[in-house]
Amino acid sequence: MRIAVTGSSGKLGRATVDRLLADGHEVIGFDLAGSPAVDPRLRFTTVDFTDYGQTLDSMLGVTARHSGIDALVHLAAIPVNGLVPDATTFHNNVTVSFNVFFAALRAGITTIVYASSITAMGFPFDEPPASLPLDENVSAANNTYGLGKVVEEAMAGQFVRWNDELSITALRFTNVINAEEYGSFERAGDPAYRRDLLFSYIDARDGAAAVALALAAAEPGFEVYNIAASDTGLSIPSAELAEITFPGTPVTKSLGEFETLMSIDKAREKLGFEPQHLWREGLAALDL
């Protein structure tokens, strides 16, 4: 397919571009940062997605880049609170996602996979989750970035009502890391480490694999999937970790030794998602 990736220069964006190219797709990169020289295989165009005119024009066609898009991967966003004022984070991200979704709808693009977030589930979890492992049935926002993600999921759920052929898949990514960042897991024995993330993480390569799987499995309608590594980022057994850090929170299944507390059961069942890059193996490789 010819697939456009917004935010193609970001951490997850670069991994996604690499994965889609390796799978044989033609990839169009859209971002504020980057250049065609970054990767000769990538057709890159600078686009400001806060401008609806630029957004729609980029979806319809760009001279010397493309004359139409088969599918869209939307990753562009201000990635966390704190980089700009809180209200700006919300206004920017919700405007960008509206523009991208609506422009895609107008351009006749019927397959969209986009980055939602663990922040749409209650991050930083100062209030304990209703149960563990936490699944996709929960929607809660505790900051303006997370509120934007909740609003984006609500928008996507409505847009698919406007076109019976439209497929939008929200991937609720947790903290995305690259292989060289595995050294940051030296606090793995501290139960306070990554508590705000339910101790979760995702290797960028596995995040990109989830995008590829979601594109392949796309069907009309709106779906939400949690995307995290299959283990926690700690060396404390998961059942013990849940009891220590979230006492009294119901645990709804028998947990594997280090099983993730951000449930990926739905993604496993419906997408065939199985993370291949885990911090224990990655850290061991860095020590070689």
Side-chain angles (χ1 to χ4, degrees):
M1 293 189 294
R2 179 181 291 156
I3 303 172
V5 178
T6 77
S8 59
S9 301
K11 184 187 294 187
L12 182 57
R14 294 191 301 272
T16 298
V17 167
D18 287 345
R19 173 58 186 257
L20 296 178
L21 287 169
D23 287 349
H25 299 292
E26 180 183 346
V27 182
I28 312 297
F30 293 143
D31 209 333
L32 278 175
S35 76
V38 171
D39 189 328
R41 302 170 300 166
L42 175 67
R43 298 187 177 190
F44 179 83
T45 298
T46 300
V47 182
D48 179 356
F49 289 109
T50 64
D51 182 326
Y52 179 70
Q54 287 191 41
T55 305
L56 179 59
D57 204 22
S58 69
M59 300 293 170
L60 292 171
V62 179
T63 300
R65 294 295 183 264
H66 77 90
S67 57
I69 294 167
D70 299 317
L72 174 68
V73 177
H74 174 42
L75 307 177
I78 294 171
V80 292
N81 275 107
L83 299 179
V84 296
D86 292 340
T88 304
T89 300
F90 177 86
H91 291 155
N92 179 90
N93 289 355
V94 172
T95 297
V96 164
S97 290
F98 170 80
N99 286 350
V100 167
F101 293 161
F102 195 58
L105 188 67
R106 287 286 170 90
I109 300 166
T110 56
T111 301
I112 301 172
V113 174
Y114 83 97
S116 188
S117 170
I118 190 174
T119 62
M121 305 167 66
F123 170 93
F125 298 102
D126 294 328
E127 177 184 347
S131 62
L132 293 170
L134 190 60
D135 64 22
E136 291 84 354
N137 292 319
V138 173
S139 180
N142 290 319
N143 54 45
T144 59
Y145 179 85
L147 183 61
K149 292 302 182 184
V150 170
V151 170
E152 289 166 13
E153 289 184 7
M155 280 197 300
Q158 295 304 309
F159 278 136
V160 297
R161 296 177 53 251
W162 299 7
N163 183 335
D164 291 341
E165 297 180 354
L166 181 60
S167 170
I168 304 182
T169 303
L171 301 180
R172 286 180 174 176
F173 291 104
T174 185
N175 176 225
V176 178
I177 64 167
N178 284 326
E180 59 268 24
E181 296 178 273
Y182 283 127
S184 66
F185 285 72
E186 73 278 359
R187 289 180 54 202
D190 178 1
Y193 179 58
R194 291 183 174 271
R195 180 188 182 280
D196 58 345
L197 291 160
L198 295 182
F199 319 103
S200 63
Y201 70 100
I202 183 71
D203 188 290
R205 293 165 292 181
D206 287 329
V211 170
L213 289 166
L215 286 168
E219 295 182 350
F222 176 58
E223 287 287 353
V224 180
Y225 296 97
N226 290 347
I227 302 298
S230 53
D231 63 350
T232 68
L234 275 73
S235 57
I236 302 170
S238 296
E240 178 183 346
L241 190 59
E243 180 59 32
I244 291 171
T245 55
F246 296 107
T249 297
V251 176
T252 58
K253 62 183 286 189
S254 178
L255 295 169
E257 184 177 15
F258 300 116
E259 183 175 348
T260 177
L261 296 180
M262 181 180 173
S263 174
I264 58 172
D265 290 347
K266 181 180 177 182
R268 277 175 161 151
E269 177 184 350
K270 294 194 173 184
L271 300 181
F273 174 65
E274 191 58 52
Q276 300 298 310
H277 303 93
L278 306 180
W279 73 272
R280 290 168 177 82
E281 291 84 353
L283 194 57
L286 288 175
D287 290 339
L288 293 178

